[in-house]
Amino acid sequence: MQTNLGLNKSQETFELPQAVRTFGVCRLLDEQWLEISNKGDGDVTIEVSSKTLIKSKKSLLSLNSTYFKNMLNNDFMTPEDLILRIKSWNDTVTKVFVKFLEYDVLFVPISFEQEDWIELTLLSKYYHVKRLTNICEYELIYGMNPDDSLDLLKFALQNKLKSLESHCV
């Protein structure tokens, strides 16, 4: 299946990965698609780890995140400032986060665990990506079992996640 996301005027199309899609989340059957190329015509470089650099566009990052919108849309930025460092404990979670910012679709590996959802929730809260926070909250609720409910309740209270909090009680 080929698609055009309409994100730029070049009308570039690409092959979508095989995935199982549920409630706005694409669970990748081929995790290689998540690998990100550092080639591109982006005006911002995102450092995921010391070895992984991603080129992206300020406009795409600003669409989904008020944090990036406020940071990138000013006249005081120099080219050196256009290297963003997004650090987390897990590079895969960071790549998922950046892909969401760029495509507005959440692509996750089929092996995404509850700990990954928690970390992705923290990233989305920190960078003010409300829609992603809501998706993560739903996924945590959907995957919750009785043994996890107390830990998830603490997490929900600490991070002001009302839906998750109400489902843990």
Side-chain angles (χ1 to χ4, degrees):
M1 176 179 163
Q2 289 206 353
T3 186
N4 180 347
L5 295 179
L7 297 176
N8 58 32
K9 296 185 194 278
S10 70
Q11 299 299 316
E12 185 176 329
T13 60
F14 66 93
E15 191 73 22
L16 281 177
Q18 275 195 315
V20 177
R21 186 175 175 89
T22 56
F23 304 106
V25 178
C26 288
R27 287 175 182 13
L28 296 174
L29 302 179
D30 177 13
E31 294 183 22
Q32 292 297 325
W33 195 84
L34 193 59
E35 292 306 312
I36 300 173
S37 171
N38 64 352
K39 298 176 179 123
D41 60 347
D43 50 5
V44 176
T45 302
I46 301 171
E47 184 179 311
V48 174
S49 68
S50 59
K51 297 178 184 175
T52 307
L53 299 175
I54 305 163
K55 295 277 191 181
S56 189
K57 295 204 174 279
K58 290 192 297 188
S59 57
L60 292 178
L61 296 175
S62 298
L63 280 175
N64 288 310
S65 168
T66 56
Y67 178 93
F68 289 120
K69 183 178 182 180
N70 293 334
M71 181 173 64
L72 296 171
N73 294 330
N74 68 53
D75 297 329
F76 303 109
M77 304 249 353
T78 64
E80 295 82 33
D81 293 331
L82 295 178
I83 298 177
L84 308 175
R85 287 166 185 85
I86 299 177
K87 300 287 185 184
S88 67
W89 299 284
N90 182 335
D91 282 351
T92 301
V93 171
T94 308
K95 291 175 185 178
V96 166
F97 177 73
V98 172
K99 283 276 191 183
F100 179 81
L101 290 176
E102 290 186 327
Y103 296 110
D104 200 32
V105 175
L106 187 57
F107 294 101
V108 298
I110 200 91
S111 60
F112 223 57
E113 305 271 334
Q114 184 180 45
E115 294 80 24
D116 300 322
W117 286 111
I118 288 171
E119 187 174 345
L120 188 58
T121 305
L122 292 172
L123 274 176
S124 66
K125 294 280 289 176
Y126 183 82
Y127 290 106
H128 305 274
V129 186
K130 186 173 176 144
R131 186 167 161 271
L132 181 57
T133 303
N134 292 340
I135 292 170
C136 291
E137 197 171 1
Y138 170 80
E139 289 293 325
L140 287 169
I141 291 167
Y142 180 72
M144 184 171 44
N145 65 49
D147 297 335
D148 301 329
S149 60
L150 184 58
D151 290 333
L152 285 176
L153 177 60
K154 286 187 229 176
F155 177 72
L157 290 169
Q158 289 171 342
N159 292 286
K160 299 178 180 143
L161 302 169
K162 298 295 182 193
S163 294
L164 182 58
E165 180 184 335
S166 67
H167 280 83
C168 290
V169 178

